[in-house]
Amino acid sequence: MFRKLRIKYISSIYSSFSTKAEIDPKLRDGFDSKQFKPRHHPGRTNRTKASIPSTIQKSINTVLDDNNAKMYLEESKKLSNLLNSRLLPPEEHEISEKAAKIHQNVSRKFYAKIKKEITEEEKIGHEKEIQNAVFNILKKNVYAWGNIAYDKATCLQYLMSRAAPEYAILVRILDEIKRKLPDYKPRNFFDFGSGVGSGTWAVNTYWKNDIFEYFTVDTSQEMNDLARLILCNGKENVELPYRAYFQRQFLPASTDVKYNIVLSAFSFFELPSMKSRLETIQKLWNKTEDFLIIVEQGTNAGFQIVNEAREFVLGIKNENQKGYVFAPCPNDTACPRFLEQKTPCNFIMKYETLPFRCKTEVQADLFSYVILRKGVRPEDDPQWPRIVRAPLVRSRHVICRMCTSEGELKEIIFSKKKYDQETYCCARCSIWGDELPVK
């Protein structure tokens, strides 16, 4: 199922950087000629904050007003909290192992109290009591996972609470492709778990004039209706602004048609097991022409889903189906954060809340993601280290904690005294999630 991992000793503290780090030699002339500036170096993201486009905002406000959504404000906050606190559904073998341990403990304590010999009939009765006790304990100790039923009211609550952060996060992620491949022009787009349509809004931010086909999948018909209504400026019985925009409730089985960009954002928590998640990843990868993007909440559970997808795709042996990590990882080795099992590999994105019956605020959301690209990693891929935690900026030095092309977490202290001006300034101007163009 997953690649066999060679796990070395991994310290819980970032290992020190043993070699000198300096600006990538290929960029040195660019810095000398002022083509590049440290504040806007090639590894910096172009998106640190985002807000939903004004036309989409206007449509959303129309839809919310028409449905008297003001009464859902408090419920939308509760839904958002629920989504951010969800755990993965427990696997059957995990439940069985836990039940066996509980049964062993309960049986030992139960029979320790009985000092006389018991008949076979009494033993059967005692076993029923033990089974009931085990069941009651198990109920309290196993996460009660369940699907969320997205009826019309829940869809409106989702729109109010999740549209803004999800759009901002997707814009940030798609910027990785746009920044590294400025001439790339996708022709079609597939969105699994499309929700209110934030994936479509995000790809149109960069490639509206290039994409001619949109294919979205969401099991909730109410969610599909809401997404279509938003694209039609909040008006029903109006022709869609796109010629080829298709909506389905289930993932098509056919793999004949492939899509340049395949996206699954904040959707895999609805699947009941690891088996179903991996089967879905395989189907999505089969539909991928260029990029498969998996995005989830920046929690431990969300990161686990993203890492499952990463390991599964990188473990594919078929030469025609092989791929590599385009972002955020500069390597295809086992994720050091996952091996440590302490903190998720996540990033942060600022966004402006929807201006519906309240003032716009700037908030932030954590997310985990992976962009997988079909094919073999190009030989000229620089594989610059990725900054995986907020740099610690101090007087005359800055501490950057990074994931490197060797698959290791390393910490470098860039001081003004020991490093050249371009290297030091690039490190000082970088933020959490940027690539640092050093070798």
PDB file of all heavy atoms in Angstrom, residues 3 14 36 63 74 79-80 93 130 144 147 160 182 215 228 234 242 289 302 304 310 336 355 363 379 382 384 401 421:
ATOM      1  N   ARG A   3       4.999   2.954   0.332  1.00  0.00           N
ATOM      2  CA  ARG A   3       6.407   2.638   0.109  1.00  0.00           C
ATOM      3  C   ARG A   3       7.042   2.136   1.405  1.00  0.00           C
ATOM      4  O   ARG A   3       6.655   2.549   2.499  1.00  0.00           O
ATOM      5  CB  ARG A   3       7.160   3.890  -0.346  1.00  0.00           C
ATOM      6  CG  ARG A   3       6.669   4.470  -1.631  1.00  0.00           C
ATOM      7  CD  ARG A   3       7.471   5.695  -1.972  1.00  0.00           C
ATOM      8  NE  ARG A   3       7.284   6.757  -1.001  1.00  0.00           N
ATOM      9  CZ  ARG A   3       8.056   7.821  -0.919  1.00  0.00           C
ATOM     10  NH1 ARG A   3       9.081   7.961  -1.715  1.00  0.00           N
ATOM     11  NH2 ARG A   3       7.821   8.768  -0.032  1.00  0.00           N
ATOM     12  N   TYR A  14      15.380  20.282  15.145  1.00  0.00           N
ATOM     13  CA  TYR A  14      15.953  20.441  13.813  1.00  0.00           C
ATOM     14  C   TYR A  14      17.459  20.234  13.865  1.00  0.00           C
ATOM     15  O   TYR A  14      18.133  20.773  14.735  1.00  0.00           O
ATOM     16  CB  TYR A  14      15.665  21.842  13.275  1.00  0.00           C
ATOM     17  CG  TYR A  14      14.228  22.095  12.954  1.00  0.00           C
ATOM     18  CD1 TYR A  14      13.322  22.457  13.946  1.00  0.00           C
ATOM     19  CD2 TYR A  14      13.770  21.984  11.655  1.00  0.00           C
ATOM     20  CE1 TYR A  14      11.992  22.693  13.647  1.00  0.00           C
ATOM     21  CE2 TYR A  14      12.440  22.225  11.348  1.00  0.00           C
ATOM     22  CZ  TYR A  14      11.556  22.576  12.347  1.00  0.00           C
ATOM     23  OH  TYR A  14      10.242  22.809  12.040  1.00  0.00           O
ATOM     24  N   PHE A  36      16.534  40.460  -9.715  1.00  0.00           N
ATOM     25  CA  PHE A  36      15.860  39.952  -8.528  1.00  0.00           C
ATOM     26  C   PHE A  36      16.192  40.839  -7.341  1.00  0.00           C
ATOM     27  O   PHE A  36      17.323  41.330  -7.225  1.00  0.00           O
ATOM     28  CB  PHE A  36      16.302  38.521  -8.212  1.00  0.00           C
ATOM     29  CG  PHE A  36      16.072  37.545  -9.325  1.00  0.00           C
ATOM     30  CD1 PHE A  36      17.106  36.735  -9.777  1.00  0.00           C
ATOM     31  CD2 PHE A  36      14.829  37.418  -9.911  1.00  0.00           C
ATOM     32  CE1 PHE A  36      16.912  35.830 -10.798  1.00  0.00           C
ATOM     33  CE2 PHE A  36      14.614  36.509 -10.942  1.00  0.00           C
ATOM     34  CZ  PHE A  36      15.657  35.718 -11.387  1.00  0.00           C
ATOM     35  N   VAL A  63     -27.480  35.665  -2.840  1.00  0.00           N
ATOM     36  CA  VAL A  63     -28.000  34.347  -2.442  1.00  0.00           C
ATOM     37  C   VAL A  63     -28.337  34.322  -0.952  1.00  0.00           C
ATOM     38  O   VAL A  63     -29.407  33.833  -0.548  1.00  0.00           O
ATOM     39  CB  VAL A  63     -26.964  33.252  -2.778  1.00  0.00           C
ATOM     40  CG1 VAL A  63     -27.384  31.919  -2.169  1.00  0.00           C
ATOM     41  CG2 VAL A  63     -26.784  33.122  -4.279  1.00  0.00           C
ATOM     42  N   GLU A  74     -24.746  32.178  13.661  1.00  0.00           N
ATOM     43  CA  GLU A  74     -24.166  31.427  14.785  1.00  0.00           C
ATOM     44  C   GLU A  74     -23.938  29.968  14.421  1.00  0.00           C
ATOM     45  O   GLU A  74     -22.921  29.366  14.798  1.00  0.00           O
ATOM     46  CB  GLU A  74     -25.078  31.531  16.019  1.00  0.00           C
ATOM     47  CG  GLU A  74     -25.056  32.887  16.692  1.00  0.00           C
ATOM     48  CD  GLU A  74     -23.647  33.314  17.122  1.00  0.00           C
ATOM     49  OE1 GLU A  74     -22.917  32.460  17.684  1.00  0.00           O
ATOM     50  OE2 GLU A  74     -23.269  34.474  16.881  1.00  0.00           O
ATOM     51  N   LEU A  79     -20.483  25.153  12.693  1.00  0.00           N
ATOM     52  CA  LEU A  79     -20.107  24.228  11.631  1.00  0.00           C
ATOM     53  C   LEU A  79     -18.619  24.339  11.322  1.00  0.00           C
ATOM     54  O   LEU A  79     -17.930  23.331  11.147  1.00  0.00           O
ATOM     55  CB  LEU A  79     -20.925  24.512  10.368  1.00  0.00           C
ATOM     56  CG  LEU A  79     -20.567  23.674   9.137  1.00  0.00           C
ATOM     57  CD1 LEU A  79     -20.826  22.194   9.401  1.00  0.00           C
ATOM     58  CD2 LEU A  79     -21.357  24.136   7.911  1.00  0.00           C
ATOM     59  N   SER A  80     -18.113  25.560  11.278  1.00  0.00           N
ATOM     60  CA  SER A  80     -16.693  25.780  11.013  1.00  0.00           C
ATOM     61  C   SER A  80     -15.831  25.136  12.096  1.00  0.00           C
ATOM     62  O   SER A  80     -14.816  24.487  11.802  1.00  0.00           O
ATOM     63  CB  SER A  80     -16.396  27.279  10.932  1.00  0.00           C
ATOM     64  OG  SER A  80     -15.040  27.507  10.649  1.00  0.00           O
ATOM     65  N   HIS A  93      -9.768  -2.557  12.258  1.00  0.00           N
ATOM     66  CA  HIS A  93      -8.737  -3.264  13.031  1.00  0.00           C
ATOM     67  C   HIS A  93      -8.379  -2.490  14.301  1.00  0.00           C
ATOM     68  O   HIS A  93      -8.060  -3.085  15.332  1.00  0.00           O
ATOM     69  CB  HIS A  93      -7.495  -3.523  12.171  1.00  0.00           C
ATOM     70  CG  HIS A  93      -6.713  -2.290  11.835  1.00  0.00           C
ATOM     71  ND1 HIS A  93      -5.705  -1.796  12.635  1.00  0.00           N
ATOM     72  CD2 HIS A  93      -6.809  -1.431  10.785  1.00  0.00           C
ATOM     73  CE1 HIS A  93      -5.198  -0.709  12.095  1.00  0.00           C
ATOM     74  NE2 HIS A  93      -5.844  -0.456  10.983  1.00  0.00           N
ATOM     75  N   ILE A 130     -20.104  -8.731  30.786  1.00  0.00           N
ATOM     76  CA  ILE A 130     -18.799  -8.203  30.370  1.00  0.00           C
ATOM     77  C   ILE A 130     -18.891  -7.557  28.990  1.00  0.00           C
ATOM     78  O   ILE A 130     -18.359  -6.466  28.761  1.00  0.00           O
ATOM     79  CB  ILE A 130     -17.741  -9.337  30.374  1.00  0.00           C
ATOM     80  CG1 ILE A 130     -17.451  -9.776  31.809  1.00  0.00           C
ATOM     81  CG2 ILE A 130     -16.446  -8.882  29.690  1.00  0.00           C
ATOM     82  CD1 ILE A 130     -16.613 -11.044  31.918  1.00  0.00           C
ATOM     83  N   ALA A 144     -16.675   9.012  17.313  1.00  0.00           N
ATOM     84  CA  ALA A 144     -17.966   8.785  16.639  1.00  0.00           C
ATOM     85  C   ALA A 144     -18.000   9.562  15.325  1.00  0.00           C
ATOM     86  O   ALA A 144     -18.586  10.648  15.236  1.00  0.00           O
ATOM     87  CB  ALA A 144     -19.113   9.208  17.551  1.00  0.00           C
ATOM     88  N   ASN A 147     -20.809  11.075   8.462  1.00  0.00           N
ATOM     89  CA  ASN A 147     -20.915  12.029   7.363  1.00  0.00           C
ATOM     90  C   ASN A 147     -21.718  13.243   7.793  1.00  0.00           C
ATOM     91  O   ASN A 147     -22.616  13.148   8.633  1.00  0.00           O
ATOM     92  CB  ASN A 147     -21.611  11.395   6.160  1.00  0.00           C
ATOM     93  CG  ASN A 147     -20.765  10.321   5.506  1.00  0.00           C
ATOM     94  OD1 ASN A 147     -21.027   9.138   5.696  1.00  0.00           O
ATOM     95  ND2 ASN A 147     -19.778  10.714   4.748  1.00  0.00           N
ATOM     96  N   MET A 160     -21.122  30.610   4.262  1.00  0.00           N
ATOM     97  CA  MET A 160     -20.821  31.766   5.107  1.00  0.00           C
ATOM     98  C   MET A 160     -19.496  31.609   5.848  1.00  0.00           C
ATOM     99  O   MET A 160     -18.760  32.581   6.042  1.00  0.00           O
ATOM    100  CB  MET A 160     -21.959  31.976   6.111  1.00  0.00           C
ATOM    101  CG  MET A 160     -23.294  32.319   5.459  1.00  0.00           C
ATOM    102  SD  MET A 160     -24.683  32.154   6.600  1.00  0.00           S
ATOM    103  CE  MET A 160     -24.449  33.570   7.633  1.00  0.00           C
ATOM    104  N   PRO A 182       5.172  30.054 -15.351  1.00  0.00           N
ATOM    105  CA  PRO A 182       4.364  31.204 -15.787  1.00  0.00           C
ATOM    106  C   PRO A 182       3.705  31.017 -17.158  1.00  0.00           C
ATOM    107  O   PRO A 182       2.680  31.634 -17.441  1.00  0.00           O
ATOM    108  CB  PRO A 182       5.368  32.360 -15.811  1.00  0.00           C
ATOM    109  CG  PRO A 182       6.718  31.720 -15.853  1.00  0.00           C
ATOM    110  CD  PRO A 182       6.586  30.422 -15.143  1.00  0.00           C
ATOM    111  N   PHE A 215     -15.296  20.335 -14.699  1.00  0.00           N
ATOM    112  CA  PHE A 215     -16.068  19.160 -14.294  1.00  0.00           C
ATOM    113  C   PHE A 215     -16.017  19.082 -12.773  1.00  0.00           C
ATOM    114  O   PHE A 215     -14.940  18.927 -12.187  1.00  0.00           O
ATOM    115  CB  PHE A 215     -15.476  17.895 -14.901  1.00  0.00           C
ATOM    116  CG  PHE A 215     -16.418  16.721 -14.899  1.00  0.00           C
ATOM    117  CD1 PHE A 215     -16.986  16.254 -16.067  1.00  0.00           C
ATOM    118  CD2 PHE A 215     -16.757  16.084 -13.709  1.00  0.00           C
ATOM    119  CE1 PHE A 215     -17.860  15.182 -16.065  1.00  0.00           C
ATOM    120  CE2 PHE A 215     -17.631  15.015 -13.688  1.00  0.00           C
ATOM    121  CZ  PHE A 215     -18.190  14.549 -14.879  1.00  0.00           C
ATOM    122  N   ARG A 228     -23.879  26.530  -8.639  1.00  0.00           N
ATOM    123  CA  ARG A 228     -24.372  27.016  -9.934  1.00  0.00           C
ATOM    124  C   ARG A 228     -25.042  28.380  -9.782  1.00  0.00           C
ATOM    125  O   ARG A 228     -24.852  29.272 -10.608  1.00  0.00           O
ATOM    126  CB  ARG A 228     -25.361  25.991 -10.497  1.00  0.00           C
ATOM    127  CG  ARG A 228     -25.997  26.387 -11.823  1.00  0.00           C
ATOM    128  CD  ARG A 228     -26.930  25.309 -12.302  1.00  0.00           C
ATOM    129  NE  ARG A 228     -26.209  24.185 -12.850  1.00  0.00           N
ATOM    130  CZ  ARG A 228     -25.973  24.006 -14.151  1.00  0.00           C
ATOM    131  NH1 ARG A 228     -26.402  24.908 -15.017  1.00  0.00           N
ATOM    132  NH2 ARG A 228     -25.320  22.969 -14.585  1.00  0.00           N
ATOM    133  N   GLY A 234     -26.484  34.760  -8.638  1.00  0.00           N
ATOM    134  CA  GLY A 234     -27.587  34.619  -7.684  1.00  0.00           C
ATOM    135  C   GLY A 234     -28.960  34.536  -8.320  1.00  0.00           C
ATOM    136  O   GLY A 234     -29.979  34.594  -7.623  1.00  0.00           O
ATOM    137  N   TYR A 242     -20.192  29.745 -18.515  1.00  0.00           N
ATOM    138  CA  TYR A 242     -19.227  28.856 -19.160  1.00  0.00           C
ATOM    139  C   TYR A 242     -19.955  27.866 -20.057  1.00  0.00           C
ATOM    140  O   TYR A 242     -20.985  27.303 -19.678  1.00  0.00           O
ATOM    141  CB  TYR A 242     -18.393  28.094 -18.113  1.00  0.00           C
ATOM    142  CG  TYR A 242     -17.842  28.971 -17.029  1.00  0.00           C
ATOM    143  CD1 TYR A 242     -18.266  28.846 -15.713  1.00  0.00           C
ATOM    144  CD2 TYR A 242     -16.891  29.944 -17.324  1.00  0.00           C
ATOM    145  CE1 TYR A 242     -17.766  29.664 -14.717  1.00  0.00           C
ATOM    146  CE2 TYR A 242     -16.388  30.772 -16.329  1.00  0.00           C
ATOM    147  CZ  TYR A 242     -16.831  30.625 -15.033  1.00  0.00           C
ATOM    148  OH  TYR A 242     -16.339  31.446 -14.051  1.00  0.00           O
ATOM    149  N   GLU A 289      -3.853  14.633 -15.896  1.00  0.00           N
ATOM    150  CA  GLU A 289      -2.929  14.824 -17.012  1.00  0.00           C
ATOM    151  C   GLU A 289      -1.636  15.465 -16.526  1.00  0.00           C
ATOM    152  O   GLU A 289      -0.543  15.033 -16.881  1.00  0.00           O
ATOM    153  CB  GLU A 289      -3.573  15.715 -18.072  1.00  0.00           C
ATOM    154  CG  GLU A 289      -2.711  15.941 -19.315  1.00  0.00           C
ATOM    155  CD  GLU A 289      -2.617  14.717 -20.202  1.00  0.00           C
ATOM    156  OE1 GLU A 289      -3.597  13.940 -20.252  1.00  0.00           O
ATOM    157  OE2 GLU A 289      -1.566  14.535 -20.822  1.00  0.00           O
ATOM    158  N   GLY A 302      -5.812  16.170   9.194  1.00  0.00           N
ATOM    159  CA  GLY A 302      -5.760  16.667   7.825  1.00  0.00           C
ATOM    160  C   GLY A 302      -4.425  16.361   7.162  1.00  0.00           C
ATOM    161  O   GLY A 302      -4.367  15.956   5.998  1.00  0.00           O
ATOM    162  N   GLN A 304      -2.458  13.916   7.920  1.00  0.00           N
ATOM    163  CA  GLN A 304      -2.373  12.471   7.690  1.00  0.00           C
ATOM    164  C   GLN A 304      -3.001  12.104   6.348  1.00  0.00           C
ATOM    165  O   GLN A 304      -2.457  11.274   5.600  1.00  0.00           O
ATOM    166  CB  GLN A 304      -3.074  11.713   8.819  1.00  0.00           C
ATOM    167  CG  GLN A 304      -2.923  10.200   8.708  1.00  0.00           C
ATOM    168  CD  GLN A 304      -3.566   9.453   9.858  1.00  0.00           C
ATOM    169  OE1 GLN A 304      -3.663   9.979  10.982  1.00  0.00           O
ATOM    170  NE2 GLN A 304      -4.025   8.239   9.610  1.00  0.00           N
ATOM    171  N   ARG A 310       0.214  11.476  -0.754  1.00  0.00           N
ATOM    172  CA  ARG A 310       1.598  11.654  -1.203  1.00  0.00           C
ATOM    173  C   ARG A 310       2.317  10.317  -1.294  1.00  0.00           C
ATOM    174  O   ARG A 310       2.934   9.988  -2.315  1.00  0.00           O
ATOM    175  CB  ARG A 310       2.321  12.598  -0.228  1.00  0.00           C
ATOM    176  CG  ARG A 310       3.772  12.922  -0.569  1.00  0.00           C
ATOM    177  CD  ARG A 310       4.371  13.778   0.537  1.00  0.00           C
ATOM    178  NE  ARG A 310       5.730  14.222   0.227  1.00  0.00           N
ATOM    179  CZ  ARG A 310       6.824  13.519   0.454  1.00  0.00           C
ATOM    180  NH1 ARG A 310       6.737  12.306   1.009  1.00  0.00           N
ATOM    181  NH2 ARG A 310       8.019  14.008   0.156  1.00  0.00           N
ATOM    182  N   PRO A 336       9.662  13.977   6.866  1.00  0.00           N
ATOM    183  CA  PRO A 336      10.244  13.943   8.212  1.00  0.00           C
ATOM    184  C   PRO A 336       9.263  14.359   9.298  1.00  0.00           C
ATOM    185  O   PRO A 336       9.336  13.892  10.426  1.00  0.00           O
ATOM    186  CB  PRO A 336      11.425  14.915   8.118  1.00  0.00           C
ATOM    187  CG  PRO A 336      11.119  15.807   6.959  1.00  0.00           C
ATOM    188  CD  PRO A 336      10.342  14.960   6.004  1.00  0.00           C
ATOM    189  N   PRO A 355     -18.254  40.127   3.628  1.00  0.00           N
ATOM    190  CA  PRO A 355     -18.908  41.303   4.218  1.00  0.00           C
ATOM    191  C   PRO A 355     -20.420  41.151   4.246  1.00  0.00           C
ATOM    192  O   PRO A 355     -21.171  41.953   3.672  1.00  0.00           O
ATOM    193  CB  PRO A 355     -18.468  42.425   3.259  1.00  0.00           C
ATOM    194  CG  PRO A 355     -18.350  41.755   1.940  1.00  0.00           C
ATOM    195  CD  PRO A 355     -17.873  40.363   2.216  1.00  0.00           C
ATOM    196  N   GLN A 363      -8.581  37.417   8.811  1.00  0.00           N
ATOM    197  CA  GLN A 363      -8.333  36.268   9.673  1.00  0.00           C
ATOM    198  C   GLN A 363      -7.336  35.347   8.984  1.00  0.00           C
ATOM    199  O   GLN A 363      -6.878  35.623   7.876  1.00  0.00           O
ATOM    200  CB  GLN A 363      -9.651  35.551   9.972  1.00  0.00           C
ATOM    201  CG  GLN A 363     -10.637  36.405  10.745  1.00  0.00           C
ATOM    202  CD  GLN A 363     -11.922  35.678  11.086  1.00  0.00           C
ATOM    203  OE1 GLN A 363     -12.095  34.497  10.778  1.00  0.00           O
ATOM    204  NE2 GLN A 363     -12.855  36.383  11.731  1.00  0.00           N
ATOM    205  N   GLU A 379      15.571  17.469 -14.454  1.00  0.00           N
ATOM    206  CA  GLU A 379      16.934  17.552 -13.937  1.00  0.00           C
ATOM    207  C   GLU A 379      17.297  18.968 -13.501  1.00  0.00           C
ATOM    208  O   GLU A 379      18.147  19.156 -12.624  1.00  0.00           O
ATOM    209  CB  GLU A 379      17.924  17.085 -15.008  1.00  0.00           C
ATOM    210  CG  GLU A 379      17.843  15.588 -15.292  1.00  0.00           C
ATOM    211  CD  GLU A 379      18.881  15.137 -16.296  1.00  0.00           C
ATOM    212  OE1 GLU A 379      19.720  15.973 -16.684  1.00  0.00           O
ATOM    213  OE2 GLU A 379      18.851  13.952 -16.682  1.00  0.00           O
ATOM    214  N   PRO A 382      15.402  23.144  -9.253  1.00  0.00           N
ATOM    215  CA  PRO A 382      16.379  23.596  -8.236  1.00  0.00           C
ATOM    216  C   PRO A 382      16.198  22.944  -6.875  1.00  0.00           C
ATOM    217  O   PRO A 382      17.141  22.867  -6.090  1.00  0.00           O
ATOM    218  CB  PRO A 382      16.137  25.104  -8.166  1.00  0.00           C
ATOM    219  CG  PRO A 382      14.737  25.302  -8.636  1.00  0.00           C
ATOM    220  CD  PRO A 382      14.509  24.244  -9.687  1.00  0.00           C
ATOM    221  N   TRP A 384      14.818  23.948  -4.109  1.00  0.00           N
ATOM    222  CA  TRP A 384      15.174  24.827  -2.996  1.00  0.00           C
ATOM    223  C   TRP A 384      14.473  24.386  -1.719  1.00  0.00           C
ATOM    224  O   TRP A 384      13.341  23.879  -1.761  1.00  0.00           O
ATOM    225  CB  TRP A 384      14.762  26.259  -3.329  1.00  0.00           C
ATOM    226  CG  TRP A 384      15.515  26.856  -4.479  1.00  0.00           C
ATOM    227  CD1 TRP A 384      16.799  26.594  -4.859  1.00  0.00           C
ATOM    228  CD2 TRP A 384      15.008  27.824  -5.411  1.00  0.00           C
ATOM    229  NE1 TRP A 384      17.139  27.341  -5.966  1.00  0.00           N
ATOM    230  CE2 TRP A 384      16.058  28.108  -6.322  1.00  0.00           C
ATOM    231  CE3 TRP A 384      13.791  28.487  -5.564  1.00  0.00           C
ATOM    232  CZ2 TRP A 384      15.913  29.012  -7.371  1.00  0.00           C
ATOM    233  CZ3 TRP A 384      13.644  29.388  -6.603  1.00  0.00           C
ATOM    234  CH2 TRP A 384      14.693  29.646  -7.498  1.00  0.00           C
ATOM    235  N   ARG A 401      13.720  27.599   9.682  1.00  0.00           N
ATOM    236  CA  ARG A 401      13.569  26.145   9.829  1.00  0.00           C
ATOM    237  C   ARG A 401      12.965  25.610   8.544  1.00  0.00           C
ATOM    238  O   ARG A 401      11.866  26.014   8.149  1.00  0.00           O
ATOM    239  CB  ARG A 401      12.694  25.849  11.049  1.00  0.00           C
ATOM    240  CG  ARG A 401      13.372  26.233  12.357  1.00  0.00           C
ATOM    241  CD  ARG A 401      12.436  26.353  13.514  1.00  0.00           C
ATOM    242  NE  ARG A 401      11.534  27.488  13.373  1.00  0.00           N
ATOM    243  CZ  ARG A 401      10.625  27.815  14.286  1.00  0.00           C
ATOM    244  NH1 ARG A 401      10.502  27.113  15.379  1.00  0.00           N
ATOM    245  NH2 ARG A 401       9.838  28.854  14.096  1.00  0.00           N
ATOM    246  N   GLN A 421      25.176  39.741   1.633  1.00  0.00           N
ATOM    247  CA  GLN A 421      23.987  40.575   1.792  1.00  0.00           C
ATOM    248  C   GLN A 421      22.750  39.957   1.131  1.00  0.00           C
ATOM    249  O   GLN A 421      21.664  39.963   1.718  1.00  0.00           O
ATOM    250  CB  GLN A 421      24.236  41.968   1.209  1.00  0.00           C
ATOM    251  CG  GLN A 421      23.081  42.928   1.465  1.00  0.00           C
ATOM    252  CD  GLN A 421      23.370  44.335   0.947  1.00  0.00           C
ATOM    253  OE1 GLN A 421      24.420  44.575   0.372  1.00  0.00           O
ATOM    254  NE2 GLN A 421      22.444  45.239   1.158  1.00  0.00           N
TER     255      GLN A 421
END
